[in-house]
Each structure stands twice: as structure tokens, then as C-alpha cells.
Amino acid sequence: MIWELLALLGIYAYVSIASLLYAGIDRKLVARMQRRIGPPILQPFYDFLKLASKETIVPNTANFMFKASPILMLATTIALLAYTPIGFKPLFATKGDIIVFIYLLTLADFFLVLGAISSGNPYAKVGASREIALLASREPAMMLGVFTVMWALSKHGVEKPFSLANLYEHNIWEFGPMAWVGGAVLIYVFMTWLASEVEAGFFNVPEAEQEIAEGPLVEYSGRYLAIIKLAESLKEFIAASLVVAILFPWGIEMPGLEGYVVNLLIHTAKVFAVLFVAKTVFRAVTGRLRVTEAVNLLWTRVFSASLVASLIIAMGVVM
Amino acid sequence: MIKLPLLSTVLKNIAKRPATNLFPKTDPVPVPEDFRGKIIYHVDKCVGCRMCVMVCPAGVFIYLPEVRKVTLWLGRCVFCKQCVDVCPTRALEMSDEFLLATYDKYDKKLRWFTEEEIEEYKRKLEEQKKAKEVAKKS
């Protein structure tokens, strides 16, 4: 138990650094795509330290949740790291932990929304309502895809069905040509889901700076904003980790501690590649949709694609 | 079907060099011909005709009757060049200088013909008067 907690702290430190590093790389790449030079790669670290050292202003209209939400959000995200597949089996992998994973992933967003509506700022309330609308629209597609994959893997007679640890024992590409077609559709579904999870490009709806002044984050400043930014960045890495673990879970077999480290590094490289497509390029080439359009797209294009992919994979497994 | 017309451009741009000017490390973008920068005031050429005071939209110029010159504070200047165009003696001109940021509104570099210079000029006038009187007496 104590070793697992130490490992969790190590993973937390590593993922914090990796996710903030990717935020820097992302800004640099978007700048280069627009023929700019961009900030230094370590800029998110400087931003974090600066925000943490700034004066924190709490509005008069805020209630106690305003202060508690960022901490709860970060705590949720750290707890989520214990269930995240990052190149090796999750620390607390157990039967059915996929439910816990999805629950904690959405809970982090709920805490952000709670903090926003506790600030008493109408802009934050608009941002929070958009956040919830997007959250409710994007998760079903992901859930259906994940549960289908989990169900398909459980057909292989795994030890703990519906655990994220199964993803490293078998993967959906083993089920023959039918599942390959379904997997290709799933790649589209999960990439779109990831883009809406990190709120890039089309889905930059809740934090629309030009429309509603940063939405949920409008009243946050100083230490709380630093915590929220860190938690969001961790959540990005975790969401991308899920996508990588489900679609491209290949690592290398290697005993001992070195095996864990090497697999973690391979996984990080894959996460960066996935985020490059779903976040950086997507952010650079697309503008924001309206909130109604984004919800429509998620329900009609993405959820239906998820349904189709699930049926194809299911047929592939059953046959 | 979602069209992404920018995709090819964006991916090509990664390989290209940034089209920006790294200002503090390099020189700023060169100014064009006839650039309207900071005003230069030649006190010795000025005859005190008050044209610039009449024409200035921002109230940069203050006429000093006792010395028949103007003093100016460029904190108000809008760089419209009307004073330069109207000055009959070419006592005013536009320079190429545009990096005028300061910490102090009444910085030396935003002033021409300051109080000390005015006092000095008055003293010079007195001396000239005295010299004239001495010359008359002799």
C-alpha cells in the first residue's frame, strides 16, 4: 500500500511535468504554424510559478465552494492518476475500475463548474452552463466506445473484466478485419472526444475568451487559477492516456523497474503524438463552434459514429 | 464532411522560418521615408510668430512672450506634422525617433526648451542688452 502511494506521488510529479511540457510544446507549434516564434517551451512552468506567487482575489459574491473547488478539482485529478493506464497497468487496477475512471474524469469538470457558479459572476455562469452542456454531450460517445472495447476484451477471458489493466493484455486489433473497421471509426470518435475534452478548436466553447471572457475561469486569479490550470493540464494528459491505451496500447516487454520507466516514456511519446493531432493541429486549423452546433455535432456525428463502431466491433467479436 | 482548408498551409508553415522581427535582439523594422517621429525644435531659428500655437490640435506649444519663443511638451503630441508644415523658419522638424517610452511624464526627452534653458536664454539676452548699452555709452 505504502509503495503504491509513493508510486502515485511519483506519477503525479512526472505527469505534471510532462503535461505542462506538452502545453509549452503545443504553444510553440501553434506559433510556428502561424509563422510566429512563440514562447519558450518552459513557458507554462513560468506561468504556473507566477500565478502561484500572485495575489489571490476572492470576489465578495463568492461562497466557500469558490475556494474549495480548485483544490477538489486537483485532488480528483490526482486520484484519477491512480486509475490511469500510463504505459503499464494502473496502480489501483481492479475489476470494473473503468466506471471509477469515467466518474472521476467528469467529476473534475463538475468541480470546475461548481467553482464557477459559486463565484457569482454571470459570465462564469454562462461558461458553466456551456461546460455542462458540452460535458453531457461528449461523454456518452466515449463511454459507449470504452465499454464496447472492454466488453470485447472480456471475451478473451481476462482475469478482471472491465478493468483498464486489460488494455495491456489484449487489444481490439486482435479481433480480425471487422474489428479493424470498427477500430478505425473508434479512432475518429476518440480523437473528437479528446478534442472536446481538452476544449480545443471547435470545442473551445466554455472558455470562449472573446465571447464570455474565459467563462468558468473569469473570477479565478492567483493560486486558485494556477491549481486549475495544472488540473486541466493533467486532465488533458489523462484523457489522451485513455485514448492511447485503448487504441494504441503497444509497449515493450521488459522486466523490473526499467521496464516501467521505458514503457512510461513510450506512452508519453504516444500521448504527445495523439495530442498533437487532436489539440495542436485541430486548434490551429479550426475556429470555435456555437454551443448549439458543438452539442449537435457531438450527438449526431460523434455519438452515432460511436454507435456504429460499437456495433461493428460487436459483430466482429461475436462472429 | 468537415473541410479544413487551412490544414495544408498550417503544416507547410511548420517547416518555414518565422516571419517575425525579434525586436530587442535585432533592430526594429526600418522607418519609411518622411516618417513622423519625435519633433525637433531649433530654438535659435524660432522667431516667435505663434503659428505653431495656432495650428497645433493637441496644445503642445506654449508661447513665452518675454523671450518670443515657444516651449513644448511632447506628452500631448499627436505627430500630425502641422507645426512643421506651418513653421516659416524651419525651426521645427520631424525626426525618425519613435521609442519614446519613459517612466516620467515630464522626462527630459519629451521636452524642448525647458525652464533652465529659458533662464539661460534670458540671461544671455540681458548680457546682450548690457553689452549694447556699454557699446552705446562708449
Side-chain angles (χ1 to χ4, degrees):
Chain A
M1 194 66 206
I2 189 79
W3 290 115
E4 274 149 354
L5 285 175
L6 283 175
L8 178 58
L9 283 175
I11 287 170
Y12 168 50
Y14 174 81
V15 173
S16 302
I17 290 168
S19 60
L20 284 177
L21 187 72
Y22 186 76
I25 294 171
D26 166 71
R27 285 169 72 173
K28 193 86 179 168
L29 282 169
V30 169
R32 291 303 302 272
M33 287 170 185
Q34 298 168 349
R35 306 287 307 275
R36 296 184 288 114
I37 292 176
I41 294 220
L42 295 179
Q43 188 63 44
F45 294 90
Y46 306 146
D47 287 349
F48 179 79
L49 292 173
K50 181 187 163 182
L51 281 175
S53 62
K54 284 284 228 185
E55 183 192 6
T56 307
I57 294 167
V58 178
N60 280 338
T61 48
N63 58 23
F64 74 100
M65 265 319 274
F66 182 81
K67 292 180 183 175
S69 285
I71 292 129
L72 288 168
M73 186 183 174
L74 185 64
T76 310
T77 321
I78 297 168
L80 183 54
L81 280 171
Y83 295 97
T84 309
I86 42 172
F88 44 85
K89 287 173 185 177
L91 292 175
F92 298 168
T94 169
K95 188 173 161 184
D97 65 0
I98 180 68
I99 307 273
V100 179
F101 184 90
I102 292 171
Y103 167 71
L104 288 175
L105 193 67
T106 48
L107 189 68
D109 269 345
F110 270 111
F111 278 134
L112 178 63
V113 164
L114 262 179
I117 56 178
S118 303
S119 71
N121 183 322
Y123 285 110
K125 284 169 181 160
V126 173
S129 70
R130 290 177 170 205
E131 181 95 51
I132 288 288
L134 212 61
L135 182 78
S137 319
R138 75 175 173 233
E139 300 302 344
M142 181 270 287
M143 288 183 202
L144 190 61
V146 171
F147 289 147
T148 309
V149 172
M150 289 289 170
W151 170 81
L153 297 184
S154 70
K155 290 284 165 194
H156 267 298
V158 288
E159 193 186 334
K160 295 175 179 169
F162 287 88
S163 158
L164 286 161
N166 304 343
L167 295 167
Y168 292 112
E169 291 163 23
H170 305 283
N171 60 53
I172 50 166
W173 310 109
E174 296 169 7
F175 289 102
M178 276 288 259
W180 295 344
V181 176
V185 182
L186 265 195
I187 287 179
Y188 156 71
V189 170
F190 275 112
M191 283 298 187
T192 322
W193 170 76
L194 182 61
S196 64
E197 181 70 45
V198 304
E199 284 163 11
F202 280 166
F203 305 105
N204 189 350
V205 173
E207 286 174 24
E209 286 91 355
Q210 298 86 349
E211 289 168 34
I212 52 168
E214 298 253 345
L217 306 182
V218 64
E219 285 291 1
Y220 277 108
S221 59
R223 208 171 306 134
Y224 298 139
L225 187 58
I227 290 172
I228 288 178
K229 292 271 186 201
L230 178 67
E232 282 194 334
S233 160
L234 286 172
K235 210 159 66 73
E236 247 169 58
F237 193 95
I238 289 165
S241 291
L242 178 73
V243 174
V244 166
I246 285 176
L247 296 172
F248 323 105
W250 305 287
I252 50 169
E253 290 293 326
M254 208 177 187
L257 192 64
E258 304 87 36
Y260 281 111
V261 172
V262 169
N263 270 327
L264 181 58
L265 291 174
I266 292 173
H267 175 83
T268 309
K270 283 189 289 194
V271 162
F272 283 9
V274 164
L275 278 174
F276 174 75
V277 175
K279 186 183 179 194
T280 309
V281 177
F282 194 59
R283 190 158 78 95
V285 299
T286 58
R288 185 185 310 129
L289 295 178
R290 294 189 197 95
V291 61
T292 48
E293 286 171 345
V295 169
N296 257 336
L297 182 131
L298 286 167
W299 280 113
T300 55
R301 307 277 174 89
V302 183
F303 183 72
S304 57
S306 180
L307 205 60
V308 168
S310 306
L311 289 172
I312 294 172
I313 289 174
M315 276 155 65
V317 172
V318 171
M319 288 170 191
Chain B
M1 197 63 222
I2 295 168
K3 289 195 190 70
L4 299 174
L6 280 174
L7 190 61
S8 55
T9 316
V10 153
L11 293 177
K12 269 180 217 151
N13 277 349
I14 291 185
K16 284 184 188 165
R17 296 188 50 189
T20 50
N21 181 31
L22 289 156
F23 164 54
K25 293 179 195 163
T26 58
D27 289 339
V29 177
V31 296
E33 200 74 14
D34 297 334
F35 179 77
R36 302 209 297 265
K38 182 184 161 183
I39 293 178
I40 297 175
Y41 177 46
H42 304 284
V43 187
D44 46 344
K45 287 188 190 169
C46 180
V47 294
C49 67
R50 304 211 301 276
M51 278 298 213
C52 48
V53 184
M54 299 288 293
V55 86
C56 180
V60 169
F61 298 89
I62 294 170
Y63 182 62
L64 306 167
E66 61 270 27
V67 291
R68 292 220 306 245
K69 302 280 180 200
V70 291
T71 179
L72 45 157
W73 173 54
L74 296 177
R76 289 174 175 270
C77 181
V78 296
F79 305 96
C80 65
K81 213 186 169 186
Q82 293 199 84
C83 52
V84 178
D85 290 340
V86 85
C87 187
T89 57
R90 306 267 172 86
L92 291 160
E93 61 170 317
M94 286 285 192
S95 69
D96 282 349
E97 196 185 340
F98 60 89
L99 300 168
L100 301 174
T102 62
Y103 285 106
D104 178 17
K105 279 206 303 195
Y106 305 111
D107 195 301
K108 266 280 190 284
K109 73 182 193 183
L110 298 180
R111 290 294 313 271
W112 286 103
F113 206 43
T114 52
E115 281 75 12
E116 303 92 74
E117 285 166 351
I118 294 167
E119 291 301 316
E120 212 177 292
Y121 187 75
K122 278 183 183 169
R123 256 185 278 117
K124 228 163 68 181
L125 283 183
E126 294 282 317
E127 278 166 23
Q128 279 175 3
K129 261 189 185 171
K130 277 179 188 165
K132 269 185 185 171
E133 279 169 18
V134 169
K136 266 184 183 172
K137 277 177 183 169
S138 65

